[in-house]
Amino acid sequence: MRLGIISALAEEQHGLIEAIEGPCKRTHGMRDYTTGKLWEIDAVCVLSRIGKVAAAMTAAILVEKFEVTHIVFTGVAGSADADVNVGDIVVAESLIQHDFDASPLFPRYQIPLTGLSHFETDVKLSERMAGAGQQFIEHGLANVISPETVQTFKLNNPRLHRGLIASGDQFIGKPGQVTQLKAALPALLAVEMEGAAVAQVCFELGIPFAVIRTISDKANEDAATDFMHFVKTVASPYAFDILQRFCRA
Ligand code: ADE
């Protein structure tokens, strides 16, 4: 396995580059790709930046130029379900581009010529990622997040969920926005801005992939403030510990 690891922002991947043994940095298309060994796994780490085009480009370059065989995307997301709370983890089973609409030429959400609206993640990779996430909740969280931070963000009883994540080129936080998305896609657990783009690229190139997201906000009017606080304090320790458990599994 040669594993590509993508996050949108530096705050979501802090510490990972430093953990790479024998790092070699190459810049291509305005992004830094760092190759090396990550806990015995041959890995390439990169920040995609925000949005579907940025993520799609990064995934394609990882495959075509850096020859990764598998991709995982790790980062934060907004909750789209009353039972999914800040600090919970969502491992995607499938992803959809919620802002894609070529109707009436094609059904709403369907990506033309693929015949698909939902792109499924790799079962084995997602299983391994969910295992790492669950272990983090049970054994890791208390070691890497201070009791004060646990209290501030109410991280006492986080849970892991598996299901549908939707991506779009919009930060969801306006009144009614998430309610509308949930009404259209009742199975929806979380919203973000990259995963489904990576999913489409991986589907088209035949690359197994997984997406794991920590919930930073409830995609409501407080979302932007909650997101900023969460990514500054909590996102990286979560991602770092989970990826370490994933690589060592
Ligand atoms: N990533 C984290 N929170 C988000 C939100 N509310 N909307 C879109 N992407 C997000």
Side-chain angles (χ1 to χ4, degrees):
M1 177 196 285
R2 184 167 166 85
L3 182 67
I5 302 174
I6 317 177
S7 302
L9 304 170
E11 289 87 346
E12 295 169 307
Q13 212 183 76
H14 187 71
L16 212 61
I17 303 288
E18 292 74 15
I20 294 180
E21 269 177 60
C24 174
K25 187 176 92 176
R26 280 166 67 196
T27 305
H28 182 82
M30 300 171 74
R31 285 156 183 79
D32 294 336
Y33 294 79
T34 307
T35 59
K37 286 267 178 213
L38 198 55
W39 302 295
E40 307 299 319
I41 284 189
D42 194 13
V44 188
C45 293
V46 59
L47 301 176
S48 62
R49 308 199 208 155
I50 293 174
K52 291 189 297 168
V53 173
M57 153 140 175
T58 309
I61 299 285
L62 271 175
V63 176
E64 295 300 324
K65 200 171 173 67
F66 292 90
E67 299 181 329
V68 303
T69 58
H70 298 71
I71 288 181
V72 297
F73 196 109
T74 166
V76 298
S79 166
D81 188 282
D83 284 338
V84 177
N85 294 305
V86 170
D88 284 5
I89 295 168
V90 179
V91 175
E93 282 177 349
S94 64
L95 296 108
I96 188 167
Q97 297 179 38
H98 67 71
D99 55 355
F100 202 103
D101 187 359
S103 63
L105 305 180
F106 295 89
R108 179 88 172 93
Y109 305 117
Q110 188 178 108
I111 306 301
L113 309 184
T114 66
L116 295 174
S117 55
H118 295 64
F119 289 84
E120 290 183 4
T121 56
D122 182 67
V123 173
K124 260 168 78 180
L125 215 54
S126 299
E127 191 66 37
R128 185 166 163 183
M129 197 50 99
Q134 191 59 44
Q135 267 194 16
F136 168 75
I137 285 172
E138 287 169 20
H139 307 293
L141 193 147
N143 298 326
V144 298
I145 312 274
S146 75
E148 297 77 49
T149 306
V150 166
Q151 207 153 19
T152 307
F153 290 93
K154 301 192 179 72
L155 307 174
N156 300 303
N157 202 10
R159 290 192 301 149
L160 186 130
H161 311 263
R162 298 179 72 172
L164 179 64
I165 293 181
S167 314
D169 289 320
Q170 294 162 3
F171 186 83
I172 306 297
K174 295 189 185 74
Q177 225 177 348
V178 75
T179 316
Q180 237 177 4
L181 283 175
K182 183 72 174 172
L185 301 164
L188 188 60
L189 296 181
V191 287
E192 37 87 313
M193 302 177 71
E194 297 85 18
V198 172
Q200 186 183 337
V201 169
C202 287
F203 169 77
E204 294 185 9
L205 295 176
I207 296 291
F209 75 98
V211 175
I212 183 163
R213 295 281 189 172
T214 307
I215 299 300
S216 59
D217 61 85
K218 297 286 274 181
N220 57 17
E221 289 89 327
D222 299 325
T225 316
D226 293 347
F227 167 87
M228 293 302 282
H229 287 152
F230 194 92
V231 292
K232 242 192 235 160
T233 330
V234 188
S236 279
Y238 259 68
F240 186 91
D241 195 279
I242 292 169
L243 281 171
Q244 187 170 11
R245 289 172 194 276
F246 172 87
C247 288
R248 286 180 166 162

